[in-house]
Structure formats: C-alpha cells, structure tokens
Amino acid sequence: MNEDINPQPHQEHDEHHIRLEKIKKLQDAGVNPWAESTPTNSTAHDVLTTYAPEKESEVYTLAGRVMTVRAHGKTAFAHIQDGTDRLQIYIRQDVVGDEKFNFFQHMIDIGDILWVTGSPFKTKTGETTLKVLDFKLLSKSLYPLPEKFHGLTDIEVKYRQRYLDLMSSAETRDKFKKRSKIIQLIRDFLNAHGFIEVETPMLHPIPGGAAARPFITHHNTYDMDLYLRIAPELYLKRLVVGGFDRVYEINRNFRNEGVSTRHNPEFTMLEFYMAYQDYNVMMDFVQEMLKSIIMQVNGSMQLPFGEHVIDFEKPFARFSPKDALIHSRKVTHDELKAENIDATINKHQAHVEDKNSSLEVKIYALFEKLAEQDLIQPTYIIDLPIEVSPLARKDPTNPHVAARFELFVAGMEIANGFNELNDPFDQAERFKEQLKAHERGNVEAHQYDADYIHALEYGLPPTAGCGIGIDRLAMLLTNTTSIKDVILFPTLKIKK
C-alpha cells in the first residue's frame, strides 16, 4: 500500500494512521477499500418522502456517505448522506449477521461511503429510518470529516477544499443547488421568448466587448498571443449580423483585475441580444425576467438580503447619475453645476482619468463614489456618459449620453444594457479613440477590431443588448455577501 497516497499538505494525526491500518487489514483480507459501483434504486430523499406504514415491507437500495455513527451493543445507528438528503440507518447484528456487524463496528468510519439495502420504519422519536438488510463499503475515507459536521469555520479551507464544505454544510449545498436553478430558469425564460443559446470563443485574438484588463496566453502552433475573453459581446453581435435576431450565451468571462467580495477574476455572465428593440424595451424585459426568476426561487417578491428586504414587486426606479446623486443627499444641485464640479470632485476625492473630461463624466465619477452603494432597491441608472460607453448608441435626444442603463440592487451592479452602436464609421472612430487611450497606458481600453467593423459594414439591425452577472444574481437570491460563497472554486492565491 502506498503510504504517500495524499499529495496535499494535511496535518498528520492519529485518526489518519488508524484508517491507513484499516485499509491494510481490508486489503490483506481481500476486500477492496474502493470497490466497484453497486446498483441502487433509491435515494435518501425517496425513502424520507415516500415512507408510509404500509410500505415497511418494501426494500430500498441506496448509497451515501456516513455522517454519524452511534453503537449500542448489538445494534448501531448511523446517518448516511447522498446528493438528495440525509437518512438514518439501523443495523442489527441478528439481521446482517455476526461477520457483517463486526465489520461495521471495526472497519466503517465517519466519512466512508456505503451501499445499503433495507426497509423503512419509524423510530420511537418519529425519525424515518432504514433497517439495513445488507451493506457494502464502496469507498474508504482516509480522514475524518470537519468536526461536528456543522460546517467549516476555517474560511481558507472552505474555499480551497470545497468538497469538505459541501459534505458538512447543508446551507452550502442548498446555495449551489439554488444557483443551478437560477441558471436553468434564465434559460427557460429566454428560450420561451424566442432566444437561441450559442457558444462563442473563449480565446480571442483581440480583447474586446468591455473595458477590462485581459489575461494573455500564447498559442504555440500559430505562434500568436491570445486573450481569455473579457466579454462575448462582439462575437454575439456578429451573430445578430448573420441573422440570429435573438441570441444569448451563459458562460465564463476573465478579467485580470482586483479581487473583492464582489469580484473574481473568473466569473459567469449572461449576455443576450434582441434585434429590432431598444433599451427601454430591454429594461422592461430584464425586469420581467428577474421577477419571474425571483418568484420561482424565493417564493416571494420580497427578498431578504443582509439587513435589507428588497422589494421586486414595485416597478424598478429609474435615475440619471445626477438624479441619483441628488437623491442620495450627499451633494447638492449647485455642487453639480459646471462651475462647481471640479471642487466637488476634489472634496469627495472621486477619480477622474482626465481633468478635461466632460461634465457628464465627472458627475458619473461622483455617482460611482458616492451614490452607487446606496442603491438598495432595484434601480436603473440611465443617461450614462457616451465617453464610458464605447459600444453604445448615443441617445437620440442628447448626444452627450448613451442609450444605456445599468441595474443596481443592494448596491451592486447586476446588469448593463444599451442600444448597440451599429454605425460602422462611428464605431471605428470610437475604437480609434480607445486605441489612443490604450497607447497612453490605459490597459482597460478597447483595441481596434477591424473584423468587427467589417461585420458592421454588412449591417447590424437596430439591436438592444444586455449582460447580467450570474454570480451577483446568485448572491442576491441566496442572501450572500461574498462572491466566493457562490462560486464553487473561487480564484485563490497559491498557498506556499
């Protein structure tokens, strides 16, 4: 037997050595500690939900991980947990036989995976339990589970060894099941509204579709640098050019930027596009979709999140950045006037890349610094500066702002959408401006994508597009304040 079976840096302890000795004994006796799969016909959930006194003669066969063990002379109780629920099992020496019972007592540990078959009954305390007729060790665990199985208290272990977190915390398991349901409901909603799901490249020859710093890699055969995608936008709009009028993708984006409770370098986005619609229709559509999802997941339109209750029943508010600032009462109307804006910027230490930026850009910088985090109830921010919207059309009534919205809930940006810029000449000029910014050292600026311009020259119909952060949406619907708690394997610094 290989004593170096575990390459991970675990603290050695007596329990580990005891289990290694048990494995040796099992192998010497011709028992494989990691046996072949044995057929099952049920789950723990099946047993718990279908139990009735008249069914006590039925035989259920299932498998799961041993979570607790209590021995009482010639009987033993244990709980096994599968992917559906946790079930108590009852083992009697006179039922399974002396040899099997002795095997259970001396060779089975908490954490082992068992195959069991038996009939259900109710204990005196009213707990549905499976009286075991036979069992088999399927997989031996070399380590005990987290103490008391009430969940990991070490956050570092919780994220690095998510499998332990999932084993020990029903809350964590429920959170990720809910995340899966959210994604499925999004697909159902979009499919029901005539959208088709597609996949676009993860490796891009030119980074684009969002203002972000990309990860760079290299393809040896082609001897060319490639970029992990920061957004699928430009490829999805190529598909709209090609005739896919309603299209969406749910997949990963990668951005080489800071890590926080709301940012992970690898994250999941929904992006979707509707030809022949505008951003006002898109705002109504997003509102309808979110309400549908929240009702099906939460069972109510009032969603608890931290110390707040977020009301999705009411129509979502709509503010310009200026209106949101004034509504926040952190600045006055006069402080946002052109003659006072620079003093206001300095007073609140808001970041503006260029001191010669437009009034709209400066107001937006103040909005990001002062008002964004206070948008608790669902709120659309509209009339964003055209300078920070290089892929959006100008508002037809005001050339200084984009026909664009951002949706904020609980102080987080949840969605971003706009009327897509389909004028190839305008888009080319904006790419050139972005390219100049990139050459000046702005690593987040767009680069010039000549092929995308060429696609626009064939004609992109009037189109509205939107991106929704799946991880942040999952945070909202699971009352979670850290993005790491809704990503199964968040990006972590290598442990030295």
Side-chain angles (χ1 to χ4, degrees), residues 252-361:
R252 295 290 199 284
N253 289 349
F254 305 86
R255 298 182 185 177
N256 196 354
E257 52 193 26
V259 176
S260 73
T261 56
R262 297 180 180 182
H263 296 87
N264 192 67
E266 176 184 2
F267 60 99
T268 304
M269 282 285 292
L270 159 69
E271 282 209 21
F272 60 104
Y273 293 83
M274 291 193 292
Y276 311 109
Q277 300 295 348
D278 73 1
Y279 80 115
N280 291 295
V281 172
M282 180 63 84
M283 281 191 280
D284 293 339
F285 185 84
V286 169
Q287 179 174 294
E288 181 187 355
M289 178 169 65
L290 291 180
K291 285 186 174 186
S292 172
I293 292 165
I294 287 160
M295 190 64 193
Q296 292 180 79
V297 172
N298 188 51
S300 168
M301 299 303 282
Q302 282 67 49
L303 187 69
F305 187 79
E307 61 187 19
H308 304 286
V309 175
I310 300 169
D311 187 1
F312 281 88
E313 187 74 46
K314 298 176 183 176
F316 297 178
R318 300 185 184 189
F319 290 127
S320 69
K322 182 178 179 179
D323 291 339
L325 279 165
I326 294 171
H327 186 74
S328 74
R329 299 183 179 179
K330 294 181 179 179
V331 294
T332 65
H333 188 276
D334 284 345
E335 286 179 302
L336 298 178
K337 290 181 178 179
E339 61 268 26
N340 300 323
I341 192 67
D342 287 337
T344 309
I345 289 282
N346 292 333
K347 174 183 175 182
H348 295 284
Q349 297 181 326
H351 176 70
V352 178
E353 194 78 32
D354 184 354
K355 291 182 180 179
N356 297 317
S357 295
S358 69
L359 176 63
E360 288 79 13
V361 168

Side-chain angles (χ1 to χ4, degrees), residues 27-183:
Q27 291 173 329
D28 289 345
V31 177
N32 186 353
W34 298 281
E36 297 293 335
S37 180
T38 303
T40 62
N41 63 15
S42 304
T43 66
H45 182 74
D46 292 337
V47 178
L48 293 169
T49 56
T50 63
Y51 170 79
E54 61 270 19
K55 291 189 174 184
E56 290 190 353
S57 61
E58 292 190 11
V59 175
Y60 294 81
T61 302
L62 61 149
R65 188 179 298 275
V66 178
M67 304 303 291
T68 66
V69 176
R70 304 187 315 279
H72 303 280
K74 296 183 179 182
T75 65
F77 284 93
H79 283 93
I80 63 171
Q81 178 176 290
D82 63 12
T84 65
D85 215 323
R86 184 180 291 201
L87 173 70
Q88 181 168 260
I89 62 172
Y90 175 53
I91 300 174
R92 289 178 45 171
Q93 184 173 350
D94 61 348
V95 174
V96 299
D98 296 345
E99 183 178 347
K100 278 271 186 178
F101 190 77
N102 184 65
F103 182 91
F104 184 87
Q105 282 190 312
H106 295 97
M107 292 297 168
I108 300 302
D109 295 300
I110 290 172
D112 293 351
I113 297 175
L114 285 187
W115 172 91
V116 297
T117 186
S119 300
F121 72 101
K122 287 271 191 182
T123 63
K124 291 179 181 179
T125 60
E127 184 171 358
T128 301
T129 303
L130 193 75
K131 182 167 70 176
V132 175
L133 302 173
D134 195 9
F135 70 89
K136 176 184 176 182
L137 174 64
L138 293 182
S139 186
K140 189 70 183 168
S141 174
L142 296 180
Y143 291 92
L145 300 184
E147 189 175 356
K148 296 182 181 178
F149 325 116
H150 291 157
L152 294 168
T153 56
D154 188 329
I155 296 298
E156 182 81 2
V157 175
K158 181 184 178 78
Y159 297 145
R160 291 188 185 277
Q161 297 173 267
R162 182 68 82 184
Y163 47 90
L164 291 180
D165 185 26
L166 291 168
M167 283 181 205
S168 59
S169 172
E171 180 184 357
T172 297
R173 293 193 302 275
D174 289 344
K175 195 168 287 187
F176 284 104
K177 288 178 181 177
K178 189 172 285 189
R179 177 191 167 108
S180 179
K181 183 176 181 180
I182 291 165
I183 293 172

